[in-house]
Amino acid sequence: DWTVKHIGRPPPVLLLAVQLFFTMAFTFELLVRIIDEGLSFLSISNRNLRWNIFDSLVVISALLEEAFSTLNVSAMDVSAIRVLRIVRLVRIFRVLRVMRFFRELRTMVQGIMSSVRSLVWCLLLLLILIFIFGVCVLQLVTDVMNEEMTRGEPKDHTALLANFGSMLGTIYTLYLTITGGLNWGEAAEHLVQLNPIMGVLFSIYIAFAVLCVLNIVTGVFVENANA
């Protein structure tokens, strides 16, 4: 937060001191656990092996960051600076360590992880549905605009093309209309001006996607989360 608000300025001494304190605290904790568990710290039979590896990587990343910070940053090459930034990102995952101490939090995270596969299939299903309807929309827009050009009466369709001017733009607009990012009535209004039938087709698309597909997907997610 401080870095974003003070671009180009070095962090204050207090912030660096707090960062160093937590780095030493994590390092001390890891050393105590290594001494206590001995050779079994990285043993396959250790039920906490994954957490031990994760904690070791976190501590190593923190120590590397402190080592990099003591060097002359201006003398580093670009690759070294990128490594430093990546190492800093690893520290974000420290929050995962607390999950094993909170049963409710761990249950929610496990439910989310068990729904990842369903999420992939859900996105694929929505993509197919949106793509099919998007092709129909683009075909209508293209036909109407070509007819106007043929008659020599081209109209201004800037607002229409802003939402349905390309395949990717159409897919994005149709996705927004079923996820709350865009009022579907506003998106359909421009299509209705071209052909009133598009209002009916757009309503069917919204009803099928929201009332049918998304509700079924919700049920699948709930079932997988409770499995």
Side-chain angles (χ1 to χ4, degrees):
D1 180 72
W2 191 94
T3 304
V4 173
K5 294 179 180 178
H6 303 82
I7 300 296
R9 295 177 55 185
V13 178
L14 178 60
L15 184 61
L16 293 176
V18 173
Q19 177 177 307
L20 179 60
F21 170 77
F22 280 104
T23 299
M24 300 306 297
F26 275 102
T27 304
F28 177 76
E29 178 201 9
L30 182 64
L31 290 176
V32 171
R33 288 165 52 192
I34 293 176
I35 295 174
D36 178 64
E37 298 184 14
L39 297 178
S40 63
F41 182 78
L42 295 177
S43 175
I44 300 178
S45 59
N46 192 337
R47 62 178 183 177
N48 295 322
L49 175 61
R50 288 179 295 180
W51 283 112
N52 290 343
I53 296 176
F54 176 77
D55 291 342
S56 300
L57 294 176
V58 169
V59 170
I60 292 174
S61 67
L63 293 176
L64 286 176
E65 181 180 356
E66 294 298 331
F68 276 121
S69 63
T70 58
L71 300 176
N72 185 7
V73 179
S74 60
M76 295 182 184
D77 57 7
V78 177
S79 60
I81 296 177
R82 289 177 179 174
V83 170
L84 174 60
R85 292 174 179 173
I86 294 175
V87 168
R88 286 180 177 177
L89 292 176
V90 175
R91 299 177 56 198
I92 299 175
F93 295 96
R94 285 178 177 172
V95 69
L96 297 176
R97 299 176 70 252
V98 303
M99 293 181 182
R100 49 180 171 172
F101 301 112
F102 299 95
R103 181 176 178 274
E104 291 79 8
L105 179 60
R106 186 174 65 252
T107 301
M108 287 187 290
V109 173
Q110 291 176 346
I112 294 174
M113 296 303 296
S114 62
S115 301
V116 171
R117 181 178 299 178
S118 299
L119 174 63
V120 174
W121 290 112
C122 167
L123 294 177
L124 180 60
L125 176 61
L126 288 178
L127 179 61
I128 295 174
L129 174 63
I130 292 174
F131 179 80
I132 293 175
F133 188 74
V135 171
C136 298
V137 171
L138 283 182
Q139 187 64 50
L140 172 68
V141 172
T142 302
D143 292 343
V144 172
M145 295 183 68
N146 285 334
E147 291 177 2
E148 293 177 353
M149 293 294 294
T150 302
R151 295 195 305 265
E153 302 175 353
K155 299 180 181 178
D156 184 14
H157 296 293
T158 303
L160 173 66
L161 296 178
N163 292 327
F164 304 101
S166 64
M167 192 65 214
L168 289 178
T170 302
I171 291 176
Y172 182 63
T173 300
L174 295 177
Y175 175 78
L176 292 179
T177 57
I178 63 175
T179 55
L182 178 66
N183 190 327
W184 71 270
E186 297 177 359
E189 181 179 357
H190 304 295
L191 296 176
V192 173
Q193 294 176 359
L194 294 181
N195 192 327
I197 297 179
M198 288 305 301
V200 178
L201 295 180
F202 211 103
S203 300
I204 295 176
Y205 161 74
I206 294 295
F208 183 75
V210 175
L211 302 180
C212 180
V213 176
L214 293 185
N215 281 331
I216 293 177
V217 168
T218 301
V220 174
F221 272 50
V222 172
E223 181 180 358
N224 290 335
N226 294 330

